[in-house]
Structure formats: structure tokens, C-alpha cells
Amino acid sequence: MAAAVKTDVTRDVTRIERIGAHSHIRGLGLDDSLEARAVSQGMVGQATARKAAGVILSMIREGQIAGRAILIAGQPGTGKTAIAMGMAQALGTDTPFTTIAASEIFSLEMNKTEALTQAFRRSIGVRIKEETEIIEGEVVEIEIDRPAAGSSKGAAKTGKLTLKTTEMETVYDLGQKMIDSLTKEKAQAGDVITIDKATGRIAVLGRSFTRSRDYDAMGPNTKFVQTPEGELQKRKEVVHVVSLHEIDVINSRQQGFLALFAGDTGEIKAEVRDQIDQKVAEWREEGKAEIVPGVLFIDEVHMLDIECFSYLNRALESDLAPVLVVATNRGITRIRGTNYKSPHGIPIDLLDRLLIISTVPYTEKEIKHILKIRCEEEDVEMGDDALTLLTKIGIETSLRYAIQLIIAAALVCAKRKGVEVEVEDVKKVYTLFVDVKRSTQFLIEYQSEFMFHEIQDKDADMTDAQL
Ligand SMILES: Nc1ncnc2c1ncn2[C@@H]1O[C@H](COP(=O)(O)OP(=O)(O)OP(=O)(O)O)[C@@H](O)[C@H]1O
Ligand SMILES: [Mg+2]
């Protein structure tokens, strides 16, 4: 590997917003003194657990703790995953937060410990400071020359860019590459832009205040900035955060940079990691880089097996360890890969290292509120009676089942050309889709007509044994 460890990662992926199970969660909903507000940032109730998560969060923010582990334990549907998502949201984009489901470890084309190592290293950020030369100014004019008539079609475009600061104005020649990136960034006269001299990357910082009356070129989110002062060319310190895993991938010879996008990174050699750890340690000593310990969240942690658990035990002791958050809804159950039972299916030695946050079932009022938030999130108008009925259903069956009925009821409502979901619509979907209790009841009554029912009779513990 070359002496210089490469770290440049361009993150230019457009996010596609979809309504997911937790898309209404925008944080933990805590106030400045870490008390949980009753309803805030999409979070309802579960105050103690949220507050505990907030304490962990502030320790993570200070960057002082590494190698700590937290277990969120509680019944199904009590918001364990939601709290982890809230933590991720509250941490923001500069602290790495990696989410995996324990079962993923077994479905990758690599061994379990390699998969876990990658997840760990994804969760550790390296904040790198670099001095770069940039050109920063307000665009006065962009002039793109029309290719001369008769010249071949693919001829490279040329042009001129005039930039100014409060003190000077300069004209730069443009090549094809710069013209493309100016077009891509939709830069136009009146924008304040920066050009990275080393990479040629262009960023639009905002529109110049002097153009604030220029309504044509304004969108609803137009940001206004001052025209830069002084020289056009500046040295600027740029800071970016990349994860250790990203550095690993870029520097492992067989993989290369593109593997990051393909997602199939394969196994990474231990030597590559050792060299990178050394290099990062050097950078830290020289003050060029800082470690940002992030969070690794492993959901459904009871699906890990004994080898994975012992790996976790060891990995948490490394000084480059992230904060580990795991969640499970299991009680005392078999540890995968052994015949021993243990609380949450986690070996006692690991349990002993965990701080445990427990979640409790919701009250009727809280369920109603969560359902209401979900209606808003899914853009469904629901009458109060219908919401009350749905809440009853939520209590009798499960919160998840009730949440799932929202969109189904909205479809039934649309079918009859109604504007608002009413009690009838909820009743209808309640009969169309059975919940677990009714489905089980049905099975008990008609079991003999299904296939393979005899297996159940022989070994009632079958599903458990399969784990
Ligand atoms: N306190 C809350 N505020 C708002 N929404 C919540 C809250 N708790 C749970 N939800 C929502 O209810 C649904 C179920 O919660 P979640 O998936 O977090 O449960 P869980 O504890 O992870 O369950 P499981 O053990 O089955 O994984 C999700 O859509 C979640 O976003
Ligand atoms: Mg969950």
C-alpha cells in the first residue's frame, strides 16, 4: 500500500424519501435538561427509556466513551427500534451510525466475524483536517462559447467565468469539465461559489445578498450569503469525516474505490487494517485527524450466535471501538449455537458489560397518539371515532397491527370515495386482515387441515430448537 492512505469519498447519493415504519421519528424528543417531552419529534411516551438513551447520546457527543454497550430490552412493539432510530437522528450526519439486524451477519458472503468487523469499522469516523486552495467569489458572468459551426459534434466546450469579491474581479478560462460541473450545480450569475483547486469540485454556497431582490432566480429555500471579501484565492481548512471502513475499502488493492458503491466489499485483509490503524494513529499525533466514535446498532441481537458474542466481548475492549447498542424482545432463551439458556439469549459475560434500558407497554392514550402521528405521516385523514376504534384494536391486538390497518383503511375509504376514514372502514379492514390472535385461534380450530401440522405435535419447542 502506498504511504499516503487515501480517504477521498464523494457522497453524492440523492436520498429517496419513503414512508418507512420509523419515518415519523425525528429525534428522541428531549429538552435541554434531557427530560423527555410527552410528545416531541414524533416520539410519544416511553419517557424513562428515552431519557436514558439521551444520557448515552450526550456521552457519545462528548466523544469520551468508547467500547460501551447498551441493551434496549422490552416486549415487541414497545419502540426499541424507534428509540435507536431516534438516537441516530439526534446524532446527525457527522457521527457515524450503523444499523444492522443480527441475522444479516449470516447472509453475507463472508465469515461472521469479518462481517462484524466491517460493521464496527463503519461505525468509527475519522475526522480529517486538510488545507486546500480554493477560489471563492460571486459569479458575475458565465459565458459558454458555442462550438464553431461545422466543427465535429463532440468538440469540447470552452468558456469564461468571471468571479468577484468585494475587492477584485477576475476572468477564468473554463474547460469542458468545469462547464459540466457548473451546469450540474446550476450555478448562475449572482451565486457565491467555491472551486476546489485540487479537484475542480464546485459548490454553490448561496445567493449574494446584493441579489436578494432578484425574485426570478429564487426558490423557496434560497440561502443568502455575503459577497466574499479580499482575495479570490484562499487557503481554507476543510474537515470531512470518513469511516475507518471506507478507508479500508479504498486502500485494499483488490477492492478499490468503486466497491464502495457496488456494496460488495468482500473480505479485507488484516494487514490492510493494521496499516490503516497505524496511519490514523500517526495522523492523530500530528493533529491532522481525530477519531469520532460512532454507534453500531444491532437489532434482534438474540439472532447472533456464541461466536459472535465472544467476538463482541473482545472487540469492545479495543480502543477503537464504537458505542454498541443492541436490542431484543426475547426473554430467557437459548443462546444460539449452544444448549444453554440465558436472559435475552445473550451470554452472561456480555450481559454483564451492558447497560440495560427497558421499554414498557404503552397506555391507551399513548397508543392513540402514536396512531395519530402515523396517520399524519401516511397522509391519512381519520375521524376521531375511527381513531378511537383503531386504538382499541391496538390495545387488544398489537400496536404494529393497528399501524398497518391505517393505510388499508384509507384505501377502503378511497374506494367508497370518502374523504375521511370512518369507523366502518376500520371495521372492514379488521375483518379483512386478521391479527395474530385470531389467526392462531383459527389454526387451533382447523389445524388438522393444514400441511405438516404433525411436526408441531411431536416437538412443541421446534421453532426454538431451529434457532
Ligand atoms: N414512543 C413511540 N413514539 C412514536 N412511535 C413509536 C413509539 N414506539 C413505537 N413507535 C412506532 O411503533 C412501531 C413499532 O415500534 P418498534 O418497531 O420500535 O418496536 P420494537 O420494540 O422494536 O419491536 P420488536 O421487538 O418487535 O422489534 C414502529 O412503527 C415505531 O416507529
Ligand atoms: Mg425492533
Side-chain angles (χ1 to χ4, degrees), residues 81 299-300 400:
T81 309
D299 209 351
E300 317 286 342
R400 277 227 181 80

Side-chain angles (χ1 to χ4, degrees), residues 24 39 42 44 364-384 387-388 390-391 399 402-403 406:
H24 60 291
V39 180
V44 180
E364 181 172 343
K365 212 173 131 205
E366 286 162 348
I367 289 187
K368 190 166 183 179
H369 215 119
I370 294 175
L371 289 172
K372 201 166 152 206
I373 292 176
R374 286 304 299 181
C375 284
E376 282 160 21
E377 183 69 20
E378 297 180 22
D379 230 345
V380 171
E381 295 285 334
M382 186 171 297
D384 199 48
L387 190 61
T388 309
L390 198 58
T391 309
L399 174 60
I403 289 179
I406 295 175

Side-chain angles (χ1 to χ4, degrees), residues 50-69:
R50 277 162 58 202
K51 188 173 168 177
V55 173
I56 302 294
L57 210 63
S58 51
M59 300 202 294
I60 297 170
R61 280 213 192 91
E62 314 235 309
Q64 297 306 345
I65 59 164
R68 296 301 173 84

Side-chain angles (χ1 to χ4, degrees), residues 208-449:
S208 159
F209 270 114
T210 53
R211 300 278 185 139
S212 58
R213 286 168 190 283
D214 197 359
Y215 296 113
D216 288 353
M218 265 194 307
N221 315 320
T222 308
K223 191 175 134 202
F224 289 101
V225 293
Q226 299 289 357
T227 307
E229 294 169 0
E231 299 275 321
L232 274 162
Q233 293 207 21
K234 293 181 185 130
R235 294 188 71 81
K236 201 170 192 177
E237 190 164 83
V238 290
V239 178
H240 49 184
V241 180
V242 288
S243 73
L244 276 181
H245 176 68
E246 285 167 328
I247 306 181
D248 291 348
V249 173
I250 294 171
N251 288 283
S252 70
R253 206 166 294 136
Q254 319 97 318
Q255 320 288 350
F257 175 62
L258 285 177
L260 268 185
F261 295 98
D264 92 63
T265 48
E267 301 202 356
I268 289 167
K269 289 209 187 78
E271 303 92 79
V272 172
R273 291 205 172 106
D274 286 345
Q275 276 172 331
I276 285 169
D277 288 351
Q278 261 175 29
K279 201 76 206 169
V280 170
E282 277 171 36
W283 288 343
R284 286 170 75 182
E285 273 174 28
E286 294 163 15
K288 283 194 209 149
E290 275 169 49
I291 293 292
V292 188
V295 180
L296 170 60
F297 173 53
I298 306 181
D299 209 351
E300 317 286 342
V301 70
H302 52 265
M303 291 303 288
L304 292 181
D305 65 8
I306 188 75
E307 288 166 37
C308 296
F309 286 126
S310 92
Y311 172 90
L312 290 185
N313 264 339
R314 208 203 48 198
L316 282 173
E317 272 161 22
S318 143
D319 59 348
L320 280 184
V323 173
L324 178 71
V325 178
V326 300
T328 177
N329 57 18
R330 297 299 157 97
I332 295 173
T333 183
R334 204 186 311 279
I335 302 168
R336 199 170 170 181
T338 70
N339 282 323
Y340 298 106
K341 288 194 170 181
S342 176
H344 312 294
I346 301 173
I348 302 283
D349 54 348
L350 179 58
L351 267 180
D352 197 32
R353 292 166 199 249
L354 298 170
L355 286 176
I356 303 179
I357 298 178
S358 62
T359 54
V360 292
Y362 293 111
T363 64
E364 181 172 343
K365 212 173 131 205
E366 286 162 348
I367 289 187
K368 190 166 183 179
H369 215 119
I370 294 175
L371 289 172
K372 201 166 152 206
I373 292 176
R374 286 304 299 181
C375 284
E376 282 160 21
E377 183 69 20
E378 297 180 22
D379 230 345
V380 171
E381 295 285 334
M382 186 171 297
D384 199 48
D385 289 349
L387 190 61
T388 309
L389 175 60
L390 198 58
T391 309
K392 286 240 157 58
I393 293 175
I395 296 165
E396 289 294 315
T397 62
S398 75
L399 174 60
R400 277 227 181 80
Y401 175 69
I403 289 179
Q404 276 156 357
L405 289 190
I406 295 175
I407 197 74
L411 290 176
V412 170
C413 166
K415 193 89 192 288
R416 64 166 177 82
K417 300 206 167 53
V419 280
E420 200 182 68
V421 174
E422 280 164 18
V423 171
E424 287 311 307
D425 304 320
V426 176
K427 277 190 184 158
K428 177 112 188 233
V429 288
Y430 182 73
T431 54
L432 282 178
F433 304 103
V434 295
D435 56 287
V436 181
K437 247 188 221 164
R438 279 179 291 160
S439 181
T440 316
Q441 188 58 38
F442 181 79
L443 285 183
I444 292 168
E445 280 164 32
Y446 297 100
Q447 164 144 248
S448 58
E449 283 152 44

